[in-house]
Amino acid sequence: MRYLGGLRASSSVWKMMTLPAVLALPVAAAAQDTAAVISTEAAFGAREIQQLSLSPDGTHIAMIVPMKGRGAMLRIADMVGGKIADPILSSSGDPESLRDCRWSTNTRLVCRFITTAHTGTDLLAFSRALAIDSNGGNRKILSARTNERSLGIMQDGGNVIDWTADGAEGAVLMTRKFVPEAMIGTLLARSAVGLGVERIDTVTLTRRVVEPARANAIEYISDGQGSVRIVGSRAMTSGGYDGAKVIYSYRKAGDRAWQPLSQVASTVSGGKSGFDPYAIDPALNVAYGFDDRDGRQALYKIALDGSLKRDLVLARPDVDVDQLIRLGRQNRVVGAAYATDRREVEFFDPTLQKLAVSLRKALPGRPLITFVDASANETKLLLFAGSDVDPGRYYLLDRTTNKMGEVAPSRPELGKTTLASVQSITFRAADGTMIPGYLTLPIGGTGKGLPAIVMPHGGPGSRDEWGFDWLSQYFAARGFAVLQPNFRGSTGYGSAWFQKNGFQSWRTAIGDVNDAGRWLMSQGIAAPDKLAIVGWSYGGYAALQSAVLDPGLFKAVIGIAPVTDLDALREESRGFTAFAQVDTFIGHGAHIQAGSPARNADKIKVPVLLFHGDRDRNVGIGESRLMAAKLRGAGGKVELVEFPGLDHQLDDDVARTAMLTKADAFLRTSLGM
């Protein structure tokens, strides 16, 4: 096993301890022999540990770890005895997928599965919750069941919104999607429809409704102590639901009457206006949420005592505050985070702020530290720490003994791989605007005259951040320079930067992406005629559209699950409750024709390689098939690789390994390497 060192405890540094040897071994070893020599593609294509959860008493850790291919399994680590039990639950990933597991008691867990099914022309997702003992026994479905009398299907199997409920051991509050029932000739019909909340005993499965079904409800927020205090509902119009507006109501402590809290409206640009509640602090009797402040998102708190007194908690003049930090079984709010060139956290809890400083000293090479879970009394903390050159590791910290030990690496297959450092840079766009981004250069060498890749992020409502990225690190390991630009249309920098989003303002967004390529050449980083572009989702759209806007800039294009036609993307949402919002986001006008690469395939003059899973619910595989057909019709060079049974993330190490292998060969051939 790897010894973590012998740091002596002090007022600012935690003493590291070794855990039992079995816990220091890669937890994915049961699925794949990580000691064997594997290819670079297999090492980077391997999937990370999916999730860890700490039992209330802090003695056991539930781990969802990948199996070879697309499956996942649940294993329980005994932190006292130093043993990892055999898997007690698994999923094949074809199509059911084990997504998360958390403890309801010291010996019982609640796990959630996702699966997909074709219903006519639509590909629908279904979720179900399962309770299981930590030894694998007593498996019970927690999600409500439908039957032959049901007048509809139940996609949403419910989510736990409160793990402590009314204080009874094993009781949780869980949302339930009520589906009406009917029976001819009887009075047994059930008319309840919509989203409600039930109190469920995860051991006995006894259940009772604590919030009746509301037809237009989309969200409930508990105070972490068993009381539902906030409900969010979609606004209604004469034509049905208004996808652009959500109305929030709240209750005073100890009161059952609902009172108005806020309205959140989606703007034409894809942003939001109005206080959007995320969590409740019952001790302060406030709701925490986000709202606009001078064009950027800020964190506020609003009193739930009837006064609706509003206070600013945290704002930045340069970037959005975009994340609440929550801890423990009651999910108490302890801080907030934002990303400048790196992600930063500000803790409201002075003890945790001091602890965070100590941890950064104890783990100097892994500054990205996240509290993952805590024991019921918060004396034991499960945390994650990583960096640009470390995919991350999980640690268990005992605050009573000031000792901490490593539980498992996130990606054991990369344990012996030296990774490339990532640096924050800015480059000048054509109109003079300075665009931030992240540059990853291969290890060694001068960093000049390299084959280079521009890699725009997905979204477009997203942004890249400093840290480990398996795709950019793979290409750096293969000798490519990689630049990830946060082009205008990215989130995190305020509404002016986001503009009308990366589709409606595609000329600006794609112009910035192309200027990233020009900067690589102007700096001598990219060798002449050795510049390519690679993107996933919106990034795939940007990669294709970049070749429409400037056909001679990039010499090869790779699109992974790309959007290729804006009207096709819109139609994929028709019939779903989010259609109005998607329709507004995409918009109407001349940009649909000019901004759809499939409609401008004749302008793309370089080789194109596409990858897509045929169970993708984010961007249907029909978009890649359409793009490939249009390119062939225009005489272009294109290849489409389809992955049966996989969704938008291509969450399969075999598929990812194959994708990396083919992408590398394609780029080397196309760039004449």
Side-chain angles (χ1 to χ4, degrees), residues 228-473:
V228 177
R229 299 283 304 277
I230 293 176
V231 60
S233 304
R234 288 173 296 193
M236 300 292 292
T237 68
S238 59
Y241 292 121
D242 179 0
K245 184 180 293 184
V246 178
I247 300 172
Y248 285 96
S249 303
Y250 81 100
R251 287 179 174 134
K252 296 180 184 179
D255 193 345
R256 294 291 296 173
W258 291 110
Q259 300 189 36
L261 175 63
S262 63
Q263 293 189 21
V264 178
S266 298
T267 63
V268 174
S269 65
K272 292 181 178 180
S273 63
F275 177 76
D276 191 0
Y278 272 63
I280 296 168
D281 186 322
L284 298 178
N285 197 23
V286 299
Y288 285 98
F290 298 99
D291 201 351
D292 178 80
R293 183 176 188 268
D294 298 330
R296 289 184 174 82
Q297 184 172 274
L299 179 65
Y300 290 87
K301 61 182 179 182
I302 291 182
L304 302 181
D305 59 3
S307 69
L308 294 183
K309 182 177 181 295
R310 176 181 171 118
D311 293 305
L312 176 66
V313 179
L314 182 62
R316 293 280 303 186
D318 50 351
V319 295
D320 295 334
V321 178
D322 58 7
Q323 183 181 356
L324 273 183
I325 307 300
R326 306 172 72 175
L327 183 68
R329 293 181 61 75
Q330 295 180 347
N331 282 323
R332 68 185 184 97
V333 175
V334 297
Y338 52 86
T340 52
D341 59 338
R342 296 191 182 188
R343 181 150 291 272
E344 305 286 347
V345 177
E346 293 195 19
F347 287 99
F348 312 145
D349 185 319
T351 303
L352 287 177
Q353 177 61 37
K354 183 178 179 180
L355 174 59
V357 173
S358 299
L359 287 170
R360 283 193 287 270
K361 292 179 179 179
L363 301 168
R366 304 181 184 97
L368 299 178
I369 298 173
T370 303
F371 294 114
V372 177
D373 205 354
S375 59
N377 59 10
E378 297 186 12
T379 59
K380 293 183 180 179
L381 300 179
L382 183 63
L383 59 97
F384 173 88
S387 72
D388 57 337
V389 295
D390 190 325
R393 300 165 188 275
Y394 291 93
Y395 296 88
L396 183 63
L397 185 153
D398 189 330
R399 300 169 72 180
T400 61
T401 62
N402 280 14
K403 292 182 178 180
M404 179 173 69
E406 182 179 333
V407 176
S410 173
R411 293 176 178 267
E413 293 82 1
L414 289 174
K416 297 182 179 180
T417 302
T418 302
L419 301 175
S421 61
V422 179
Q423 55 183 301
S424 304
I425 61 96
T426 58
F427 62 90
R428 191 178 301 277
D431 64 0
T433 303
M434 299 305 295
I435 310 298
Y438 298 95
L439 178 64
T440 307
L441 296 175
I443 297 172
T446 63
K448 302 292 184 180
L450 299 167
I453 295 170
V454 173
M455 189 178 294
H457 60 71
S462 183
R463 59 157 289 174
D464 277 315
E465 295 187 26
W466 183 86
F468 172 80
D469 179 281
W470 66 273
L471 198 57
S472 61
Q473 284 287 347

Side-chain angles (χ1 to χ4, degrees), residues 36 95 127 163 237 265 447 449 486 526 532:
S127 66
W163 291 91
T237 68
N486 279 327

